[in-house]
Amino acid sequence: MCSATVKNIPDNIHNPVSKLKVGSIKSDTTSNIAFIIASAIATKHNQQIDVDHIAIYLQTIKSSKDFYYSLLDIKKTFEYFNVPIEAKKNASPFDFLNLSNEILIGIDHQNQLFALVGSSQEYVYLIYGIMNRKALICPLKKSLFIQNFTTNKFLILR
C-alpha cells in the first residue's frame, strides 16, 4: 500500500521530518521505531530530537535480539523524553479520523508500528520508519485506512 518515495506530502509533515538526521540509522526495528517517535515529536511540536538518542533508549529497555516493542514501551519512551502522551483503548478506526491536530501512534493489522501525522480531505499520512535513508511516508485514502487498520489501542500526542 505504501512507497518509499511519495510526492505531494503536505509541508507541515514534510518539513519537520526532512530535518531529522538519519546518518547512522540502520533499517532495523529499533531504528525505525526511533524514527517514528522522532517524526511524531518533530511534526507535533516542531522540535528536533536526536533519533540516535531514542534508539539507544529503546535498546536499553529491550535487551535481547528477538524482541517486540509494545505500545507501553513506546509510551514510556515518549515519557522519558518529556513528551506527554496518552493511551486510548477500545477505539475504532473512525476515532482516528475524527481527531484533528493530534499525532497518533498505532499498530496496523500486520503488527507494524506507525505514526499518523496528518490528514487531508481524502488522505491520512502514516510514517512507518525509514528505508534507504528516506522516510517511509504512506499517504493512504481514508477509506483504505478504515478497512485495513483494525487496532483498538493507540497513543495520542495532543
Side-chain angles (χ1 to χ4, degrees):
M1 290 191 301
C2 291
S3 141
T5 45
V6 176
K7 295 179 170 92
N8 301 323
I9 298 297
D11 287 342
N12 64 325
I13 297 168
H14 181 266
N15 291 341
V17 171
S18 67
K19 292 177 186 172
L20 293 172
K21 291 184 173 70
V22 295
S24 63
I25 292 180
K26 303 173 190 119
S27 289
D28 63 11
T29 301
T30 301
S31 292
N32 279 328
I33 292 174
F35 186 81
I36 291 167
I37 292 169
S39 296
I41 294 169
T43 305
K44 177 63 183 166
H45 298 292
N46 200 18
Q47 148 191 357
Q48 293 302 305
I49 187 161
D50 190 326
V51 178
D52 290 330
H53 283 108
I54 297 172
I56 290 166
Y57 176 76
L58 286 168
Q59 289 169 346
T60 64
I61 62 174
K62 295 290 183 185
S63 57
S64 69
K65 283 277 188 195
D66 186 32
F67 54 80
Y68 169 78
Y69 290 104
S70 68
L71 284 178
L72 180 59
D73 295 326
I74 305 307
K75 184 176 188 295
K76 287 178 185 177
T77 303
F78 276 101
E79 290 169 349
Y80 178 81
F81 288 96
N82 295 316
V83 177
I85 190 161
E86 66 181 83
K88 292 280 189 183
K89 281 186 173 180
N90 301 322
S92 77
F94 294 100
D95 293 331
F96 283 104
L97 302 178
N98 291 332
L99 299 168
S100 61
N101 254 357
E102 291 89 355
I103 304 294
L104 307 171
I105 308 291
I107 298 173
D108 69 13
H109 66 287
Q110 294 177 331
N111 284 332
Q112 299 294 317
L113 190 77
F114 67 88
L116 191 156
V117 294
S119 64
S120 67
Q121 199 72 346
E122 192 177 353
Y123 290 95
V124 293
Y125 296 91
L126 309 176
I127 294 182
Y128 274 97
I130 54 166
M131 180 183 289
N132 298 326
R133 298 186 189 269
K134 292 185 180 180
L136 183 58
I137 301 175
C138 180
L140 191 61
K141 286 196 177 226
K142 287 183 177 179
S143 58
L144 273 176
F145 176 80
I146 291 168
Q147 291 170 13
N148 289 293
F149 294 91
T150 57
T151 183
N152 65 354
K153 298 176 194 171
F154 60 92
L155 302 173
I156 182 168
L157 279 79
R158 293 199 185 271

